[in-house]
Amino acid sequence: MNMAEILYQGHGSFRLTTSGGAVIYVDPFAGDGYDRPADLVLVSHEHHDHNEVGLVTLKEGGRILRAGDFLKDGVYQEFCEQGVKIRGTEAYNKNHPKDQCVGFLVEMDGKKLYFACDTSRTEAMEKELPGEKLNYAFLPIDGVYNMGPKEASQCAALIEAVHSVPVHMMPGALFDRAAAEEFQAEGRVIVEPGETICW
């Protein structure tokens, strides 16, 4: 049986592959691994380092879903595609307007994943996400456009995912080990670009 896989491409970019072979890219921009044609491309907001959809080839019938698809009239939307459930959730800070940005809650192959995308602490982290029983939470820690390692560590404690993963560590860089080590969380996992999480 095939395994499900999350490839961390670097910065805020991911490639998800289900055990059934469906391929979903999240915020394409950085790193390698764009060789698999996509069923879905998820774009959390329109900053250039999250929306390089031209890197991805779509399968026939493949779709690009943007923040505006997941947030309509202040209501976060849910999509079910290829056996994967994806729901928009809050993402915002002084650099990212609440009405133009989203994070993603993804359920695939029996795991619940939270991609915070570009954000600082949100109300959803305090009230909604702790009840989701998340397996993995991917949190930005750059401290320039988003929260830094300290605030992200506090958010991880609120969210209570089984594993918390620091991402989006330094503008202009795929990865920064020193910043990643500053992030502290129960069940912390540090994943370098090109590495995968499989189950």
Side-chain angles (χ1 to χ4, degrees):
M1 181 175 151
N2 294 328
M3 300 180 75
E5 173 191 275
I6 304 167
L7 169 68
Y8 180 45
Q9 295 169 288
H11 193 56
S13 302
F14 304 86
R15 186 189 72 201
L16 316 182
T17 307
T18 70
S19 61
V23 176
I24 301 169
Y25 290 89
V26 179
D27 284 352
F29 167 70
D32 300 316
Y34 294 98
D35 51 314
R36 294 183 185 174
D39 294 276
L40 284 175
V41 181
L42 309 180
V43 177
S44 66
H45 64 292
E46 296 303 327
H47 286 174
H48 76 95
D49 60 333
H50 291 260
N51 73 351
E52 292 294 331
V53 296
L55 293 170
V56 179
T57 301
L58 290 175
K59 293 179 184 177
E60 186 174 345
R63 294 206 290 161
I64 299 169
L65 296 175
R66 300 177 181 274
D69 297 305
F70 283 95
L71 182 56
K72 292 186 181 296
D73 300 319
V75 178
Y76 292 94
Q77 306 296 310
E78 182 176 290
F79 293 85
C80 292
E81 305 264 347
Q82 304 288 328
V84 180
K85 187 161 76 173
I86 306 159
R87 189 165 88 240
T89 189
E90 292 177 338
Y92 57 83
N93 56 30
K94 68 180 196 284
N95 301 299
H96 298 88
K98 190 174 184 178
D99 62 350
Q100 296 174 28
C101 304
V102 297
F104 301 111
L105 287 165
V106 177
E107 292 185 43
M108 60 179 259
D109 285 285
K111 301 284 188 190
K112 285 189 175 184
L113 318 171
Y114 169 50
F115 297 91
C117 302
D118 276 17
T119 192
S120 299
R121 182 170 174 163
T122 69
E123 192 174 337
M125 292 177 187
E126 300 172 24
K127 297 181 178 177
E128 173 192 353
L129 299 183
E132 289 287 340
K133 296 185 167 39
L134 298 164
N135 297 98
Y136 288 93
F138 298 87
L139 303 173
I141 63 164
D142 63 83
V144 179
Y145 299 104
N146 300 292
M147 55 191 172
K150 183 177 179 181
E151 185 179 353
S153 300
Q154 293 168 348
C155 291
L158 287 172
I159 294 165
E160 298 181 332
V162 177
H163 297 291
S164 296
V165 185
V167 299
H168 203 298
M169 297 166 197
M170 183 176 290
L174 289 182
F175 181 80
D176 185 270
R177 170 63 68 171
E181 295 286 358
E182 285 184 48
F183 173 76
Q184 298 295 319
E186 191 83 24
R188 180 187 73 177
V189 175
I190 294 177
V191 183
E192 297 201 13
E195 292 183 344
T196 57
I197 295 169
C198 301
W199 67 95

